[in-house]
């Protein structure tokens, strides 16, 4: 029954089924998992005498009269007014009117119970809501007296309001759900009663029935507790089992850094001392590297926290053991920059010189001849370190002995990519177990702990929570078009800085002029080069330029031949030019908060004081609340973790959690910003269960595993990893 199509239910025809499908509801089970968005309390009586005229309110009641009145036409336009009289369950009456929406009088015929939300006005001494938002909650049976109707309302206390469509309003969905609840009989619980008791949770049947038809707010709360727990436990179990499944039968390598080895010599040769956070990261990673289980660790750190050093240090551990290491960057630009950084860091130890480390670059721009040579040298083991893009693991690249892989930026690296790594190394013989290299994933996007535990529940996490000393926080200012003279001052500032050998980025949301009217890099570059800074060299980089043109522009900016770089977000991550001290972001409200933070992180990397100017495209009071809140947050703090938490709050978990994007089941009720304690609890529980019973042999665990597989079913990658060995 649960897996049957909704049309199995009485009253659900093909038309309704089609509407339900647009809401993602196809089976009876989908319908039961289509949870209310919120509840209207039909028995709640708002004291009308206390409602303030001019302020917004939601009033609930039964329509007792509905009329349409003709108004005097305006010119040749016909005008009419639908007028309702609505009675609260306490007996008090208010009016509702709709201008030129005569059908409202039919839709809201007497007997209809609805919630009306709008601004409260007054008409002939009575409260009136003009063209309010309406949610139909139900109907009072025909022929009931006023007292009986009020009684009906009191009995329908909490009415669930569902995500609905125009053609399929919430109250119809409610009848369908009620039919489904009647049809299914008691729901099987996938949680063991002992665990339920231990966690103080109600059983599944009770939870599902009360979330749809609660009598009291307490029912809603208990139902929610249980269902949130389910969502998060499934997620954590899925992540743990998936990791377990992946690593099953695979062995890791002992890549423990050698005493006095390459890493130690690198640290000795540094012109600075590692921060405490970097040292702690070394220790944690060293312990992982030595285990026979493959490392899978996330290295998180705010921009400028020094992740690159940790990455190189980790890679060198492989070299200590006679193996190789690869660093994968999301773009060619970043791969090239990583190569430069690594070369500089390793210079004191000798790079591409006898007795030193041999390091190569491999991207899709590498010439065919060079590519062949690099591939040969990787296969023979002559190259120790290789830096590149995803091409490194996707194509027929073979390593003599790949020991460590570092991935810069986590989001494009999923389970299947990690699986692909096992074929990369020739270390294992054909009969032996598969060997997985140690993997370190770096992200410059600070992720709130709650989110990290949710999305990366299967990774171990190291956080670089300390910036190298001597950094001056970037000064951030917010400007809008109403202050043209401040823009002038900013340009003067850039010109003065240029005179001192310092540089400025100007970031635009678009490459070329488009319909949206947003500032384009190409257009703005021309404007700045020709009109504002004819005396300076203004370069341009964006994603549509050829790699060599991009590289040439970057190179001029890096060396100081160019003083201003107009760019799109291609420079968002990792670009490192210490002399760049000014960041201008055009149409700043169009960018996401973490993106803005990353962009700002491109300056403030040297000893000089840096500035970031956020240019809003409209006066601040005309921005959306959200846009304004983002820009304000950025002005207030430079702490990436604080910003990430704000971002999560502003966006909600939904967007961060698009199933297609993350490869994880949707969270419907759980909120990662609010349910932090449940996230922690379910993660610990999942770890314990999976460690004790990796093959879910225990029937209790087998049931859990079944539920996990079902809920991960839309995520093929996840499912494959769970089901196959
Ligand atoms: P991110 O974490 O943003 O990738 P980087 O690794 O690019 O940061 O480091 C930013 C800058 O800080 C680089 O110029 C790097 O050489 C420098 N740096 C890294 N660690 C330290 C340290 N412990 N002390 C001083 N400077 C450091
Ligand atoms: Mg970096």
């Amino acid at each position: 029954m649960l897996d049957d199509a909704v049309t199995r239910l009485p009253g659900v025809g093909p038309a309704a089924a089609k509407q339900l499908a647009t809401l993602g509801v196809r089976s009876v089970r989908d319908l039961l998992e289509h949870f209310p968005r919120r509840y209207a309390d039909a028995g709640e009586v708002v004291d009308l005498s206390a409602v303030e005229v001019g302020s917004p309110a939601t009033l609930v009641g039964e329509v007792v009269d509905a009329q349409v009145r003709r108004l005097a036409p305006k010119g040749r336009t016909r005008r009419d007014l639908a007028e309702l009289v609505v009675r609260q369950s306490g007996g008090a009456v208010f009016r509702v009117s709709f201008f030129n929406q005569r059908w409202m009088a039919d839709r809201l015929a007497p007997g209809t119970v609805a919630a009306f939300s709008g601004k409260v006005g007054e008409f002939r001494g009575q409260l009136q809501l003009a063209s309010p938002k309406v949610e139909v909650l139900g109907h009072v049976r025909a022929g009931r007296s006023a007292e009986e109707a009020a009684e009906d309302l009191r009995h329908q206390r909490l009415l669930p309001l569902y995500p609905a469509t125009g053609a399929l309003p919430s109250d119809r969905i409610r009848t369908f759900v009620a039919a489904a609840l009647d049809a299914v009989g008691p729901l099987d619980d996938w949680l063991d009663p002992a665990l339920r008791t231990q966690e103080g949770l109600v059983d599944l049947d009770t939870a599902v029935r009360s979330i749809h038809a609660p009598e009291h707010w307490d029912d809603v709360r208990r139902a929610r507790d249980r269902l949130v727990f389910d969502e998060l436990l499934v997620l954590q179990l899925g992540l743990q089992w998936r990791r377990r499944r992946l690593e099953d039968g695979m062995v890791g390598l002992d890549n423990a850094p050698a005493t006095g080895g390459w890493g130690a010599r690198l640290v000795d040769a540094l012109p600075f001392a590692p921060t405490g956070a970097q040292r702690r990261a070394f220790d944690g990673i060293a312990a992982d590297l030595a285990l026979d289980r493959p490392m899978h660790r996330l290295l998180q750190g705010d921009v400028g926290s020094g992740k690159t050093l940790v990455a190189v240090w980790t890679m060198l551990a492989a070299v200590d053991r006679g193996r190789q290491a690869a660093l994968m960057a999301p773009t060619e630009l970043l791969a090239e920059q990583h190569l430069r950084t690594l070369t500089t860091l390793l210079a004191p130890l000798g790079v591409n010189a006898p007795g030193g480390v041999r390091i190569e670059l491999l991207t899709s721009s590498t010439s065919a001849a060079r590519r062949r040579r690099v591939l040969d040298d990787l296969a023979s083991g002559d190259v120790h370190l290789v830096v590149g893009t995803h091409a490194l693991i996707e194509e027929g690249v073979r390593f003599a002995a790949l020991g460590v892989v570092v991935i810069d930026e986590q989001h494009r690296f999923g389970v299947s990519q990690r699986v692909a790594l096992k074929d990369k190394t020739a270390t294992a013989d054909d009969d032996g177990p598969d060997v997985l290299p140690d993997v370190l994933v770096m992200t410059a996007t600070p992720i709130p702990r709650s989110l990290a535990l949710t999305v990366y529940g299967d990774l171990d996490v190291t956080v670089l929570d300390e910036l190298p000393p001597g950094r001056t926080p970037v000064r951030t200012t917010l400007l809008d078009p109403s202050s043209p003279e401040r823009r002038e001052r900013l340009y003067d500032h850039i010109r003065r800085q240029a005179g001192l050998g310092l540089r400025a980025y100007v970031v635009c949301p678009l490459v070329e002029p488009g319909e949206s009217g947003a500032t384009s890099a190409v257009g703005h570059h021309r404007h700045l080069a020709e009109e504002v800074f004819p005396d300076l060299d203004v370069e341009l980089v964006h994603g549509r330029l050829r790699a060599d043109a991009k590289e040439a522009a970057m190179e001029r900016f890096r060396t100081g031949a160019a003083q201003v770089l107009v760019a799109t977000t291609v420079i968002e991550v990792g670009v490192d030019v210490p002399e760049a001290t000014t960041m201008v972001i055009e149409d700043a409200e169009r960018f996401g908060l973490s993106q803005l933070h990353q962009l700002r992180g491109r300056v403030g990397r040297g000893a000089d004081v840096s500035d970031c100017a956020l240019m809003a495209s409209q006066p601040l009071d005309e921005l959306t609340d959200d846009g304004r809140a983002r820009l304000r947050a950025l002005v207030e703090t430079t702490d990436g973790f604080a910003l990430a938490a704000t971002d999560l709050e502003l966006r909600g978990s939904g967007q961060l959690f698009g199933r297609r994007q993350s490869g994880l089941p949707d969270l419907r009720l759980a909120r990662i910003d609010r349910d932090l304690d449940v996230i922690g609890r379910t993660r610990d529980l999942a770890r314990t269960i999976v460690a004790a019973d990796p093959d879910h042999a225990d029937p209790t665990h087998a049931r859990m595993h079944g539920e996990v597989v079902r809920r991960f079913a839309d995520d093929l990658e996840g499912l494959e990893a769970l089901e196959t060995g």
Side-chain angles (χ1 to χ4, degrees):
M1 186 69 203
L2 280 174
D3 294 312
D4 287 353
V6 281
T7 44
R8 268 288 299 276
L9 298 170
V12 185
K18 216 166 138 194
Q19 285 300 320
L20 284 169
T22 65
L23 294 165
V25 174
R26 289 180 182 78
S27 66
V28 173
R29 190 201 303 274
D30 292 342
L31 195 53
L32 294 181
E33 290 178 357
H34 190 65
F35 298 128
R37 195 159 33 88
R38 57 193 180 88
Y39 299 85
D41 195 340
E44 182 188 58
V45 180
V46 175
D47 181 0
L48 293 186
S49 62
V51 171
E52 262 181 71
V53 172
S55 59
T58 296
L59 302 178
V60 180
E62 176 204 352
V63 178
V64 290
D65 188 45
Q67 307 280 342
V68 178
R69 189 152 62 92
R70 277 281 177 86
L71 300 176
K74 187 171 199 173
R76 295 171 58 190
T77 323
R78 197 183 116 159
R79 301 188 308 158
D80 47 43
L81 195 67
E83 292 182 305
L84 313 178
V85 177
V86 185
R87 185 171 56 206
Q88 292 183 304
S89 65
V93 163
F94 60 95
R95 308 174 70 93
V96 174
S97 67
F98 297 95
F99 181 72
N100 275 354
Q101 289 177 278
R102 51 183 305 132
W103 66 88
M104 281 295 191
D106 296 327
R107 200 185 139 205
L108 300 167
T112 309
V113 178
F116 303 88
S117 312
K119 206 154 141 194
V120 179
E122 215 167 5
F123 182 73
R124 291 190 187 142
Q126 272 185 322
L127 288 186
Q128 168 165 291
L129 297 170
S131 301
K133 271 188 65 190
V134 182
E135 301 220 53
V136 174
L137 306 176
H139 299 271
V140 171
R141 267 174 284 153
R144 307 277 276 176
S145 70
E147 290 73 36
E148 288 168 329
E151 195 54 29
D152 279 0
L153 279 191
R154 267 194 288 278
H155 279 294
Q156 307 181 3
R157 280 202 54 89
L158 291 176
L159 290 169
L161 299 178
Y162 290 96
T165 68
L168 190 69
S170 175
D171 62 316
R172 285 198 66 206
I173 296 180
R174 185 149 43 83
T175 30
F176 297 160
V177 172
L181 287 171
D182 278 349
V184 294
L187 296 168
D188 265 355
D189 204 330
W190 66 285
L191 282 190
D192 186 40
L195 176 60
R196 235 159 49 212
T197 312
Q198 175 197 315
E199 294 289 330
L201 298 169
V202 298
D203 64 90
L204 186 63
D205 191 63
T206 305
V208 171
R209 286 175 199 278
S210 356
I211 199 110
H212 291 294
E215 296 202 352
H216 305 284
W217 283 109
D218 266 355
D219 299 338
V220 177
R221 193 180 44 70
R222 274 194 292 265
R224 189 182 169 278
D225 284 351
R226 165 65 206 255
L227 297 169
V228 164
F229 184 87
D230 281 20
E231 282 182 357
L232 293 171
L233 182 60
V234 161
L235 183 66
Q236 297 294 346
L237 281 170
L239 290 168
Q240 298 297 333
W241 263 318
R242 193 164 79 177
R243 176 173 185 180
R244 189 51 79 121
R245 179 55 67 215
L246 174 64
E247 289 171 0
D248 204 23
M250 309 229 183
V251 294
L253 298 161
D254 178 1
N255 284 318
T259 317
W262 285 103
R265 284 159 52 205
L266 171 70
V267 170
D268 283 345
L270 286 176
F272 48 74
T275 62
Q278 284 168 326
R279 287 194 186 282
R280 285 190 292 279
F282 294 156
D283 291 346
I285 291 169
D288 267 15
L289 288 170
L291 291 182
D292 57 3
R293 162 181 143 150
M295 174 168 86
H296 195 204
R297 187 167 276 277
L298 179 69
L299 177 65
Q300 259 202 77
D302 208 344
V303 278
S305 57
K307 291 181 291 295
T308 318
L309 174 62
V310 177
V312 189
W313 184 91
T314 308
M315 293 169 84
L316 288 175
V319 184
D320 279 347
R321 301 285 151 192
R323 301 196 182 98
Q324 298 156 292
L327 172 58
M328 277 193 322
T331 66
E332 283 188 26
L333 205 66
L334 285 176
E336 281 156 17
Q337 176 173 299
H338 275 312
L339 177 76
R340 246 185 328 268
T341 313
L342 263 55
T343 309
T344 313
L345 277 169
L346 294 169
L349 309 184
V351 180
N352 294 349
V357 185
R358 209 173 131 206
I359 179 166
E360 288 287 348
L361 179 72
L362 192 64
T363 70
S364 46
S365 300
T366 308
S367 73
R370 187 169 183 97
R371 182 182 167 79
R372 222 169 303 122
R373 235 193 40 236
V374 173
L375 288 183
D376 282 349
D377 291 352
L378 281 173
S380 70
D382 286 348
V383 168
H384 302 114
L385 307 180
V386 62
V387 181
T389 50
H390 256 133
L392 271 185
I393 59 159
E394 278 159 7
E395 290 160 32
V397 184
R398 298 290 299 174
F399 292 82
L402 181 60
V404 166
V405 177
V406 177
I407 292 137
D408 189 7
E409 285 304 298
Q410 82 292 349
H411 42 273
R412 295 171 189 85
F413 192 79
V415 177
S416 52
Q417 280 87 355
R418 192 165 171 237
V419 175
L421 288 179
K422 73 171 195 277
D423 303 323
K424 286 289 155 207
T425 175
T427 313
D429 58 62
D430 287 342
D431 308 325
D434 284 322
V435 176
L436 264 190
D438 287 317
V439 174
L440 182 70
V441 179
M442 295 197 283
T443 174
T445 317
I447 304 167
R449 187 168 163 71
S450 56
L451 185 60
L453 288 183
T454 319
V455 183
Y456 305 111
D458 55 341
L459 267 67
D460 305 305
V461 181
T462 295
V463 180
L464 292 184
D465 51 3
E466 187 182 341
L467 291 181
R471 300 273 169 86
T472 334
V474 179
R475 286 187 303 219
T476 305
T477 44
L478 186 48
L479 305 178
D480 70 30
S482 60
S483 49
E485 63 293 338
R486 293 189 65 188
R487 188 181 270 274
E488 278 310 309
R489 285 221 299 275
L490 175 67
Y491 289 156
D492 288 343
H493 174 75
I494 292 177
R495 200 172 285 111
R496 269 197 314 276
Q497 296 277 91
L500 300 171
L502 302 173
R503 276 148 249 170
Y505 296 101
V506 180
V507 175
C508 306
L510 285 185
V511 175
E512 288 180 68
E515 275 169 25
S516 65
T519 310
S520 74
V522 170
H524 200 53
H525 170 253
R526 194 174 315 122
H527 166 68
L528 290 179
E530 290 171 8
E531 289 159 43
V532 182
F533 300 121
D535 46 331
L536 301 181
D537 187 336
V538 183
E539 291 288 337
L540 172 70
V541 287
H542 57 70
R544 294 202 204 138
L545 284 181
R546 283 183 31 176
D548 51 352
K550 237 187 291 187
E551 189 39 39
M554 279 308 300
E555 188 59 26
R556 291 184 60 75
F557 186 68
R558 199 165 15 246
T559 56
Q563 301 84 22
V564 179
L565 183 69
V566 180
T568 54
T569 51
V570 289
I571 60 150
E572 181 184 334
V573 277
V575 170
D576 191 8
V577 178
E579 297 83 7
T581 51
T582 308
M583 166 64 66
V584 182
I585 305 175
E586 296 290 341
D587 302 343
E589 81 280 0
R590 290 180 182 255
F591 296 93
L593 191 48
S594 64
Q595 215 173 12
L596 289 167
H597 178 62
Q598 290 300 322
L599 287 169
R600 175 169 62 182
R602 297 309 106 216
V603 296
R605 304 178 77 82
D608 301 282
V609 175
S610 291
D611 289 276
C612 174
L614 304 171
M615 297 294 201
S617 65
Q618 298 165 48
L620 296 184
D621 49 9
E622 286 170 31
L623 296 177
T624 61
D625 289 349
D626 213 55
R628 199 167 40 237
R630 265 184 278 133
L631 299 185
R632 290 253 156 86
L634 213 67
V635 171
E636 271 159 30
T637 181
T638 52
D639 177 344
F641 284 92
L643 286 171
T646 307
D647 199 24
L648 193 57
E649 227 170 82
L650 289 175
R651 292 202 291 168
S653 3
Q655 282 193 33
L656 292 174
F657 228 81
R659 171 191 327 194
R660 304 261 125 48
Q661 211 181 324
S662 62
L664 301 172
D666 278 344
L667 295 184
R668 292 156 189 267
L669 291 171
R671 286 278 309 256
I672 35 195
D673 50 344
R674 282 196 218 131
D675 297 316
L676 186 56
D677 58 326
V678 189
I679 291 171
R681 255 198 357 263
T682 50
R683 180 176 193 251
D684 292 345
L685 191 60
R687 290 196 151 196
T688 313
I689 291 172
V690 175
D693 186 11
D695 301 317
H696 33 87
D698 178 311
T700 310
H701 299 153
R703 281 171 69 81
M704 290 178 158
H705 186 259
E707 181 71 6
V708 170
V709 168
R710 181 180 79 72
R711 295 213 201 184
F712 269 70
D714 288 320
D715 162 28
L716 292 180
E717 183 178 278
L719 192 66
E720 213 177 303
L722 272 169
E723 284 183 339
T724 64

